[in-house]
Amino acid sequence: MLKQLPTRPPGITARELTQQLNDSGFPVSKRQIERDLDQLSQSFAIICNDKGKPYGWYWMEGVSVDIPAVSAAEALSLTMVEKVLKPLLPATVLQSIAPRLQQAKLKLEKLQRTGLGNWQDKVAFVPATMHQEVPAIAADALHAVQVALLQSRCLEVQYTPVAATPKTKSYVLHPLALVQRGVISYLVARVEPYQDVLLFAMHRLSSAQVLEAKPAHAPEGFTLAQYLQRGALQFSDGNSFALEAKINDDLAMHLRETPLSEDQTIIAEEQWHTLTATVMDSWQLRWWILSQGEQIEIIAPTTLRDEIKQRLQQALQHYQSGSSRD
């Protein structure tokens, strides 16, 4: 019966389903079909189009008959996953799993009397970073990127790089991977005819077209795991160094629970704690240090200490000049 349901409204009526199943050798009544459809809608992403009679039934957009029923435990897990993903992923990405998430919500609604249905109201996800809105991604561009990655085909894109005076440029890309970093989705790709692997923010793609006749080729030896290990998404050149810093009690307690590296050490002293750790030299590291404010003082390397000192002095000048204007 599920295989007979269309994938768009107005759907197929219970009477039509009854006739088709009887013709296929399944002797059922219209009343039995209506009862079964109502029961199946609790486990599968099927919808009743009740805007006009006779009512029609169809699959929610993006769902096939192959989708399995969802258990109570799976439904709870999916609703929690949605809470985690919703602030991170663009709406166009979430649409691909929306039918499954809706299926989970419907399952939990049916379980309200058991107590399990209320469990989702007793757990929550709170991000550790500052809230940021997810930038919009062009749905057609995202679809083209996904198809090109799946089929290993090149893309012709219109892309607006970050610049003082942004100007859209046209590129032929060899797509390699999609990576989510915080609220930003990045396409990892190389630009024809170069071999360098670059990052392209998906929300800056205004359009993308799959080049069916042009296969995509990765640089020799490229793997996504190694690319990320080298610090690409931390905006790093992949080099590491030994960090030494003085930290206060609060930061020491936090870093003992969530170390910066496997070789991290924290030695308590009279007023401070001495922190040592091997860290990647990256833009992300600098953001983290600056975000700690008065809780940390960099000792080594001296180049990093001087850089942080200069940036803090510049920040102080802004506040002092702002105070004088007031």
Side-chain angles (χ1 to χ4, degrees):
M1 181 171 65
L2 290 173
K3 290 181 179 180
Q4 306 300 319
L5 300 184
T7 56
R8 57 175 61 108
I12 187 172
T13 66
R15 185 178 298 279
E16 291 169 333
L17 272 175
T18 304
Q19 185 63 51
Q20 289 184 15
L21 289 170
N22 282 323
D23 291 344
S24 300
F26 298 97
V28 291
S29 66
K30 177 174 173 290
R31 181 70 190 107
Q32 183 179 350
I33 291 294
E34 291 172 338
R35 185 168 55 249
D36 289 346
L37 283 169
D38 183 65
Q39 184 175 358
L40 287 171
S41 68
Q42 300 175 24
S43 300
F44 291 89
I46 59 177
I47 299 174
C48 179
N49 178 22
D50 55 3
K51 294 182 179 179
K53 292 186 177 182
Y55 297 159
W57 290 82
Y58 60 96
W59 285 100
M60 186 182 296
E61 184 179 358
V63 177
S64 73
V65 71
D66 297 326
I67 188 170
V70 62
S71 68
E74 289 171 334
L76 177 60
S77 298
L78 284 168
T79 56
M80 287 304 302
V81 167
E82 181 183 18
K83 290 179 180 180
V84 175
L85 294 181
K86 196 169 184 178
L88 298 177
L89 297 181
T92 47
V93 176
L94 286 173
Q95 284 175 2
S96 62
I97 59 172
R100 189 68 167 168
L101 296 175
Q102 179 63 22
Q103 184 184 10
K105 290 178 182 177
L106 293 174
K107 180 71 173 182
L108 288 180
E109 287 176 3
K110 300 294 182 181
L111 295 172
Q112 287 296 324
R113 297 178 182 176
T114 67
L116 182 59
N118 294 326
W119 184 249
Q120 62 176 327
D121 298 325
K122 300 177 181 179
V123 290
F125 167 74
V126 179
T129 56
M130 184 69 180
H131 171 77
Q132 292 178 278
E133 294 295 326
V134 179
I137 295 177
D140 292 344
L142 175 63
H143 177 71
V145 167
Q146 292 170 335
V147 171
L149 282 169
L150 182 65
Q151 299 179 355
S152 296
R153 291 292 182 268
C154 285
L155 287 162
E156 184 174 356
V157 303
Q158 297 296 313
Y159 186 77
T160 306
V162 175
T165 54
K167 183 179 180 181
T168 300
K169 298 182 179 181
S170 179
Y171 298 109
V172 172
L173 302 181
H174 291 248
L176 305 173
L178 270 175
V179 180
Q180 187 75 27
R181 184 185 186 277
V183 297
I184 307 294
S185 297
Y186 288 97
L187 170 63
V188 182
R190 69 177 185 89
V191 180
E192 178 84 9
Y194 308 104
Q195 293 296 311
D196 306 68
V197 179
L198 304 174
L199 291 173
F200 296 85
M202 285 294 298
H203 62 275
R204 298 196 195 111
L205 278 179
S206 54
S207 67
Q209 181 179 359
V210 181
L211 302 179
E212 300 287 353
K214 190 174 180 61
H217 298 289
E220 186 176 354
F222 172 85
T223 67
L224 180 59
Q226 290 179 350
Y227 179 69
L228 296 177
Q229 269 185 346
R230 291 195 295 266
L233 269 292
Q234 296 182 45
F235 302 97
S236 165
D237 58 8
N239 294 321
S240 299
F241 59 78
L243 175 73
E244 182 180 351
K246 290 182 178 180
I247 57 177
N248 68 3
D249 291 341
D250 292 338
L251 187 54
M253 179 180 64
H254 174 67
L255 290 180
R256 283 193 176 99
E257 296 179 345
T258 55
L260 294 178
S261 67
E262 292 183 357
D263 64 354
Q264 172 185 290
T265 63
I266 298 177
I267 300 175
E269 299 181 4
E270 290 185 6
Q271 296 181 338
W272 291 81
H273 301 259
T274 299
L275 164 73
T276 59
T278 301
V279 295
M280 190 168 291
D281 187 4
S282 67
W283 164 86
Q284 185 170 347
L285 172 67
R286 286 156 175 79
W287 267 49
W288 178 80
I289 293 171
L290 291 168
S291 72
Q292 301 307 316
E294 78 286 355
Q295 296 189 107
I296 187 170
E297 178 190 349
I298 303 301
I299 305 301
T302 55
T303 52
L304 178 61
R305 175 184 173 88
D306 292 341
E307 180 185 341
I308 296 299
K309 179 180 177 181
Q310 182 182 11
R311 295 182 69 172
L312 290 173
Q313 287 174 335
Q314 290 173 344
L316 178 59
Q317 288 174 4
H318 290 316
Y319 280 95
Q320 289 175 332
S321 60
S323 177
S324 63
R325 284 195 300 269
D326 295 340

